[in-house]
Amino acid sequence: MSESISQSLAKVKERIAKAARAAGRDPADITLVAVSKTHSPERIAEALAAGQRCFGENRVQEAMAKFPQLRADHPDLELHLVGPLQSNKAADAVATFDVIQSVDRPKIVRALAKEMERQGRRPRCFIQVNTGEEPQKAGVAPGELSSLLELCREAELPLVGLMCIPPVEEPPAPHFALLRQLAEQHDLPLLSMGMSGDYETAVELGATHVRIGTAIFGERPKA
Ligand SMILES: *Cc1c(COP(=O)(O)O)cnc(C)c1O
């Protein structure tokens, strides 16, 4: 018998708190984003019943299908987009999410700014940085971050922080340290880093948002 979502959540939160205290940080400064992609609304409702309010999805369409009813039941729910965004989905993304963590190129910046203006909704944004400079991975290269930030300021995008997904085959700590350094350099207060396998390291290195799926909901069905 596997543990319940409420038990898994309690464990994860305890480990975040422990890692925070060990690093001299206040656990309250770390937001747990429960990544619910592929999981059913029923399982998300279990997490809501256990007090979780912040969720992450990686597909706009999937979030639009799952979340309207959950939001109606829990108006204080906060939804983050953590997956890659296509510019033709910018309108849906602005309408659906409270936070967009995957801004990574000029075309997306312009599309989001235009939609925010049109809809009068302003989801907070993170820029995703491809810290490992992996060719197949989303995110702006560290060397191109300054110019993308400049464009975000011109477009008045509500930018709050940086996000990264380190290469799977490398130790994550140097990537988290780099992300933190970039955020400090550019005066951005928030850092989204750390997943099920490495979130304690991320907390130690300054994460304000950890994105955790498997450790809360269990293994995802293979696509
Ligand atoms: C799926 C996903 C996560 C969660 O990964 P787990 O290893 O299941 O915790 C975090 N961030 C992003 C961007 C993801 O797509």
Side-chain angles (χ1 to χ4, degrees):
M1 182 65 206
S2 60
E3 66 185 6
S4 69
I5 287 173
S6 133
Q7 285 169 323
S8 307
L9 261 173
K11 264 193 204 167
V12 167
K13 281 194 273 192
E14 182 48 42
R15 285 175 62 176
I16 291 171
K18 209 169 151 196
R21 284 192 295 266
R25 303 184 59 201
D26 182 349
D29 292 340
I30 296 138
T31 301
L32 169 57
V33 182
V35 179
S36 50
K37 64 188 184 201
T38 76
H39 297 292
S40 67
E42 290 71 27
R43 295 182 55 77
I44 298 168
E46 276 183 63
L48 281 159
Q52 180 65 25
R53 287 295 179 271
C54 184
F55 295 88
E57 286 282 337
N58 71 335
R59 287 161 178 265
V60 178
Q61 248 46 40
E62 183 179 340
M64 288 174 76
K66 293 194 313 199
F67 276 85
Q69 186 57 49
L70 295 166
R71 261 198 203 280
D73 297 341
H74 301 275
D76 56 342
L77 187 158
E78 184 177 283
L79 190 56
H80 293 232
L81 176 63
V82 299
L85 178 58
Q86 304 301 319
S87 54
N88 63 1
K89 301 266 171 61
D92 287 337
V94 167
T96 306
F97 294 92
D98 304 296
V99 178
I100 296 175
Q101 295 203 5
S102 49
V103 177
D104 69 350
R105 57 193 188 278
K107 196 172 178 191
I108 292 295
V109 171
R110 292 193 198 98
L112 289 174
K114 187 173 146 217
E115 277 308 319
M116 288 186 196
E117 173 78 28
R118 202 176 64 82
Q119 298 183 27
R121 242 184 86 81
R122 296 179 59 74
R124 284 156 287 145
C125 295
F126 287 70
I127 289 185
Q128 181 175 350
V129 183
N130 187 357
T131 56
E133 307 204 42
E134 296 171 278
Q136 81 289 1
K137 196 170 267 179
V140 64
E144 286 160 25
L145 177 60
S146 293
S147 63
L148 191 63
L149 279 165
E150 182 60 37
L151 184 64
C152 290
R153 294 203 173 102
E154 279 166 25
E156 294 179 35
L157 217 65
L159 199 67
V160 293
L162 301 179
M163 179 270 241
C164 77
I165 309 172
V168 281
E169 70 284 3
E170 287 180 29
H175 296 274
F176 296 157
L178 172 60
L179 197 72
R180 178 188 186 149
Q181 187 202 323
L182 291 168
E184 282 173 357
Q185 193 180 321
H186 294 287
D187 267 330
L188 291 164
L190 303 182
L191 279 174
S192 172
M193 55 191 201
M195 316 196 336
S196 290
D198 55 19
Y199 64 92
E200 286 150 304
T201 306
V203 166
E204 190 185 314
L205 290 168
T208 62
H209 290 68
V210 290
R211 310 177 310 266
I212 301 180
T214 310
I216 295 170
F217 295 103
E219 293 290 335
R220 287 179 286 275
K222 296 267 180 294

